[in-house]
């Protein structure tokens, strides 16, 4: 865990039987931005039973709309572990250092990549790429206009992106593989492919090396005074590997990668089948 995680302060007193549940958003809690009614009920029932339920997502806070947040949560681990907020208190807020941020933007622009710089306050993109971004995002969320609206509504064109503080980068299209971008940016950055990569584009998320959702999970449970063995993490993507491995109980969504499934203690059906309803019941959360 990072130094920031180790220094997070604990002061919340909870029942010893309480569990802390961490839910990935895309492909776990929501399907292309749409949250099944059963998942909303499951979250509310778990919280009513005294458990803590938090989102643990690659999205920044600025990309979480009312559709996602409507059930009510005890906190959010955002930007794949770079930002943690519980009850209005920010526990972690890590962003790209200025030099690394400038180098990342320079490499992306040299290759004419279509990307978004993700900050908790807003999403930032090159003005010249706005139309291409809109086309890609609307196509990806063609069956869920609300999912596209959550991103596009927070998007802000900025001419001087080198001056924008950000926690993560989403690359929606690149003429060169993500591995080449990573090599040219150099040390300090890591990459994970995102779901748009399945559409035939070079795409993925660039984030600070050494940060994972497990850091956010650790900071949150320390703050909540909930032991690690009472934590539950549910996810479906490559950026969920660390948190599923770290949590007391790890749950992988059916159809996840073999690596994630192997790390998990059990599986749950995908959101289109309201898989969290059965999973929460089996785990005694409601």
């Amino acid at each position: 865990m990072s130094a920031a995680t180790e220094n997070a302060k604990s002061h919340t007193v909870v029942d010893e039987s309480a569990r802390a549940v961490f839910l990935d958003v895309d492909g776990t809690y929501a399907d292309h931005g749409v949250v099944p009614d059963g998942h909303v009920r499951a979250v509310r029932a778990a919280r009513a039973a005294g458990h803590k339920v938090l989102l643990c997502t690659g999205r920044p806070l600025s990309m979480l709309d009312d559709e996602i947040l409507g059930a009510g949560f005890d906190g959010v681990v955002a930007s794949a572990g770079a930002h943690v907020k519980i009850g209005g208190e920010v526990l972690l807020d890590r962003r790209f250092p200025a030099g690394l941020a400038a180098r990342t933007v320079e490499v992306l622009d040299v290759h004419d990549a279509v990307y978004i710089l993700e900050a908790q306050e807003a999403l930032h993109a090159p003005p010249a790429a706005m139309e291409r971004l809109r086309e890609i995002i609307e196509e990806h969320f063609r069956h869920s206009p609300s999912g596209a609206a959550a991103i596009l509504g927070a998007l802000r064109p900025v001419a001087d992106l080198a001056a924008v503080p950000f926690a993560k980068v989403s690359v929606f299209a690149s003429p060169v593989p993500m591995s080449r971008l990573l090599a040219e940016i150099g040390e300090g950055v890591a990459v994970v492919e995102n779901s748009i990569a399945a559409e035939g584009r070079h795409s993925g998320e660039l984030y600070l090396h050494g940060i994972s959702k497990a850091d956010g999970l650790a900071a949150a449970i320390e703050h909540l005074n909930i032991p690690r063995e009472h934590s539950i993490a549910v996810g479906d993507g490559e950026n969920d590997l660390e948190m599923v491995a770290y949590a007391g109980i790890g749950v992988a969504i059916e159809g996840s990668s073999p690596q994630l499934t192997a790390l998990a203690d059990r599986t749950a059906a995908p959101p289109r089948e309201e898989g969290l309803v059965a999973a929460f019941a089996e785990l005694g959360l409601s």
Side-chain angles (χ1 to χ4, degrees), residues 117-243:
L117 303 183
E118 299 182 2
Q120 308 313 319
E121 304 80 18
L123 308 176
H124 308 283
M130 292 293 288
E131 187 56 36
R132 293 164 67 194
L133 270 170
R134 181 176 297 277
E135 292 173 358
I136 292 171
I137 292 168
E138 288 181 345
E139 170 61 21
H140 181 67
F141 289 96
R142 60 188 177 279
H143 300 305
S144 171
S146 63
I151 299 175
L152 296 173
L155 196 56
R156 304 289 183 269
V158 177
D160 183 14
L161 288 172
V164 172
F166 59 89
K168 191 163 64 70
V169 184
S170 278
V171 180
F172 287 85
S174 170
V176 300
M178 295 299 299
S179 58
R180 179 171 170 182
L181 295 177
L182 188 65
E184 293 184 14
I185 293 169
E187 293 183 0
V189 176
V191 65
V192 61
E193 284 197 354
N194 60 29
S195 58
I196 293 180
E199 297 173 8
R201 301 182 179 94
H202 294 303
S203 61
E205 298 175 352
L206 298 169
Y207 59 96
L208 287 172
H209 186 270
I211 292 179
S212 76
K213 290 183 178 182
D215 290 280
L217 187 157
I221 60 175
E222 183 174 353
H223 180 83
L224 293 168
N225 276 339
I226 292 178
R228 178 177 173 181
E229 59 267 26
H230 287 181
S231 64
I232 300 168
V234 191
D236 75 313
E238 188 177 337
N239 67 356
D240 297 316
L241 290 168
E242 292 86 355
M243 78 161 182

Side-chain angles (χ1 to χ4, degrees), residues 15-274:
D15 187 283
E16 290 184 0
S17 65
R19 300 295 187 267
V21 186
F22 295 82
L23 302 177
D24 169 55
V25 171
D26 298 293
T28 299
Y29 181 61
D31 182 14
H32 287 80
V34 177
V35 181
D37 291 341
H39 284 187
V40 173
R41 292 193 297 271
V43 167
R44 289 176 176 169
R47 295 186 70 213
H51 304 295
K52 303 296 182 181
V53 185
L54 302 89
L55 294 177
C56 195
T57 176
R59 297 187 184 208
L61 297 181
S62 55
M63 204 184 288
L64 298 174
D65 61 359
D66 292 342
E67 171 76 20
I68 301 297
L69 298 173
F73 292 90
D74 295 285
V76 177
V77 176
S79 297
H83 187 90
V84 181
K85 187 174 183 180
I86 296 179
E89 182 176 352
V90 175
L91 307 184
L92 291 176
D93 186 27
R94 298 187 62 183
R95 310 198 184 204
F96 276 51
L100 182 58
R103 190 163 72 248
T104 299
V105 169
E106 179 182 9
V107 170
L108 292 168
D109 287 345
V110 163
H111 290 290
D112 195 28
V114 179
Y115 65 92
I116 289 175
L117 303 183
E118 299 182 2
Q120 308 313 319
E121 304 80 18
L123 308 176
H124 308 283
M130 292 293 288
E131 187 56 36
R132 293 164 67 194
L133 270 170
R134 181 176 297 277
E135 292 173 358
I136 292 171
I137 292 168
E138 288 181 345
E139 170 61 21
H140 181 67
F141 289 96
R142 60 188 177 279
H143 300 305
S144 171
S146 63
I151 299 175
L152 296 173
L155 196 56
R156 304 289 183 269
V158 177
D160 183 14
L161 288 172
V164 172
F166 59 89
K168 191 163 64 70
V169 184
S170 278
V171 180
F172 287 85
S174 170
V176 300
M178 295 299 299
S179 58
R180 179 171 170 182
L181 295 177
L182 188 65
E184 293 184 14
I185 293 169
E187 293 183 0
V189 176
V191 65
V192 61
E193 284 197 354
N194 60 29
S195 58
I196 293 180
E199 297 173 8
R201 301 182 179 94
H202 294 303
S203 61
E205 298 175 352
L206 298 169
Y207 59 96
L208 287 172
H209 186 270
I211 292 179
S212 76
K213 290 183 178 182
D215 290 280
L217 187 157
I221 60 175
E222 183 174 353
H223 180 83
L224 293 168
N225 276 339
I226 292 178
R228 178 177 173 181
E229 59 267 26
H230 287 181
S231 64
I232 300 168
V234 191
D236 75 313
E238 188 177 337
N239 67 356
D240 297 316
L241 290 168
E242 292 86 355
M243 78 161 182
V244 166
Y246 183 83
I249 297 176
V251 183
I253 299 301
E254 293 171 3
S256 299
S257 71
Q259 186 179 5
L260 182 63
T261 303
L263 286 173
D265 300 293
R266 59 178 67 204
T267 61
R272 64 178 176 275
E273 299 176 25
E274 298 194 340

